Amino acid sequence: MTDGVPSWLAWWGRSIASVWRGASQGRPIGPGDRSPERAALARAIASIPFRRIETDGQAALAAWERLQAEDKGWPVVVGGDRDLVRLAEWLEIGDARSAEAILAAAEALRFPDALHALRAEERQHFEAMTGGGNGPGLPPRVNRLSLPDGQWQALSPEEIRGLWEDSARPKGAPAIGEWPDVPEAGPGLTVARDHQDHPLPKVHILVLPTRDGTAAPAFLKWGGWNANPPPELHVAALRSWRDRHGAELVGISNDVLNLRVTRRPETREAALALAREQSVYCEDIVLQGVGTLAPLAAILMASDWWYFWWD
């Protein structure tokens, strides 16, 4: 809890602020917005190759359940206009592999073993890149997208190193902490609400050409940036959690996953083990959220909703 605000809402607000500075994340893109934003939305709607349904945040979960019952593909709630634009961009510039190739790669992974192997590889890479004169060093210049105006912006070597070290430095295992007297409320379907927890006036749902919700990251080419695992590892994680906890993917925006489960951990020991696993998968939910593992474990025992966010 941060100043009376649930931790998941506090870190989600930081996420939104960091991605869309100066823009209203929940407000639909309309005639009053700059022409580049309107054009980006039009391109996104035209380019996304999946069936798309519009609703609002209040009705999003009911619409998702209705679409799932139709059994004509797997629906995912992707959020508002700007979330749709970001997903469309990622489909264009993200993982070049086909969904079939990503799913084949996922078949070869055992979760969470593959996750621990990935984090170990990242630690080795970080040490090689920042090991003084022993490593190859960082590139002298790179570009990043300045989202508010849609323009690419060059970074200085100092900025590159600062961003790299902040995002790639191994953080270590979170402390267990104290078990709360009353767990925080579960996050629910956050992709359908704004950072003040109000339902979005306009929400997009995509229906993917699969009856298997665990395949969604493969079809959306979702993941593979910063500490966000590659798509095949998301698929492996979703399959493992489906088998162990009845987890279903309901929401997926440009940087958030919302899962709903049917089997919560029944003991504190099991909940702490699951919290540790989730913190390796997505460290930001602890390090920039609840702070320690016990509050997260308590939420996992009390709520059917899981929330993941990558900075």
Side-chain angles (χ1 to χ4, degrees):
M1 189 75 67
T2 304
D3 296 331
V5 178
S7 299
W8 65 265
L9 185 55
W11 79 64
W12 184 33
R14 289 196 296 272
S15 166
I16 290 170
S18 68
V19 174
W20 283 99
R21 295 181 180 90
S24 174
Q25 177 73 3
R27 178 176 53 80
I29 296 173
D33 288 290
R34 297 172 302 169
S35 57
E37 283 192 315
R38 297 197 304 272
L41 178 60
R43 286 195 303 271
I45 291 174
S47 67
I48 288 178
F50 311 121
R51 178 187 172 196
R52 184 181 59 86
I53 294 91
E54 292 183 10
T55 184
D56 58 62
Q58 192 69 38
L61 181 57
W64 180 88
E65 291 172 337
R66 183 174 64 254
L67 290 165
Q68 191 191 42
E70 290 179 0
D71 198 27
K72 295 180 180 178
W74 191 268
V76 286
V77 182
V78 302
D81 286 346
R82 292 170 176 83
D83 296 302
L84 187 73
V85 170
R86 292 287 289 157
L87 282 176
E89 290 174 348
W90 197 248
L91 274 169
E92 181 180 353
I93 67 173
D95 201 304
R97 295 171 296 172
S98 67
E100 292 74 18
I102 294 171
L103 292 172
E107 287 288 344
L109 300 180
R110 181 177 177 180
F111 186 86
D113 295 352
L115 176 63
H116 290 294
L118 172 68
R119 297 308 186 210
E121 181 181 346
E122 289 172 346
R123 286 192 294 272
Q124 293 173 357
H125 185 59
F126 177 83
E127 291 168 0
M129 293 294 281
T130 59
N134 298 324
L138 296 171
R141 296 189 70 83
V142 296
N143 289 329
R144 69 174 175 183
L145 184 64
S146 179
L147 291 175
D149 57 13
Q151 300 298 313
W152 289 95
Q153 181 182 57
L155 299 180
S156 69
E158 293 75 18
E159 289 175 313
I160 296 168
R161 179 170 294 278
L163 288 172
W164 169 264
E165 293 187 353
D166 180 64
S167 64
R169 180 185 293 110
K171 307 298 193 302
I176 293 177
E178 295 184 4
W179 199 274
D181 294 332
V182 179
E184 292 183 10
L189 186 58
T190 66
V191 298
R193 304 197 300 275
D194 65 19
H195 64 282
Q196 295 179 328
D197 206 25
H198 300 143
L200 295 176
K202 180 180 177 184
V203 167
H204 300 271
I205 302 177
L206 301 180
V207 181
L208 306 179
T210 178
R211 290 183 171 88
D212 179 7
T214 68
F219 283 96
L220 294 173
K221 313 295 182 68
W222 200 88
W225 45 268
N226 291 352
N228 191 326
E232 62 267 28
L233 209 151
H234 288 297
V235 173
L238 292 175
R239 289 175 175 173
S240 177
W241 290 331
R242 175 198 60 195
D243 295 344
R244 290 185 284 151
H245 298 283
E248 293 182 325
L249 178 64
V250 181
I252 180 169
S253 70
N254 62 287
D255 57 2
V256 168
L257 295 181
N258 291 149
L259 277 60
R260 188 169 64 174
V261 303
T262 59
R263 296 187 296 276
R264 305 175 190 175
E266 296 181 352
T267 67
R268 288 190 178 187
E269 181 181 9
L272 281 169
L274 179 59
R276 287 189 185 94
E277 186 176 294
Q278 291 191 0
S279 73
V280 178
Y281 175 69
C282 179
E283 64 183 11
D284 288 328
I285 61 174
V286 176
L287 298 182
Q288 298 194 56
V290 292
T292 56
L293 292 174
L296 175 59
I299 294 172
L300 296 175
M301 292 187 71
S303 174
D304 292 333
W305 286 93
W306 295 359
Y307 170 91
F308 302 101
W309 163 69
W310 287 266
D311 193 359

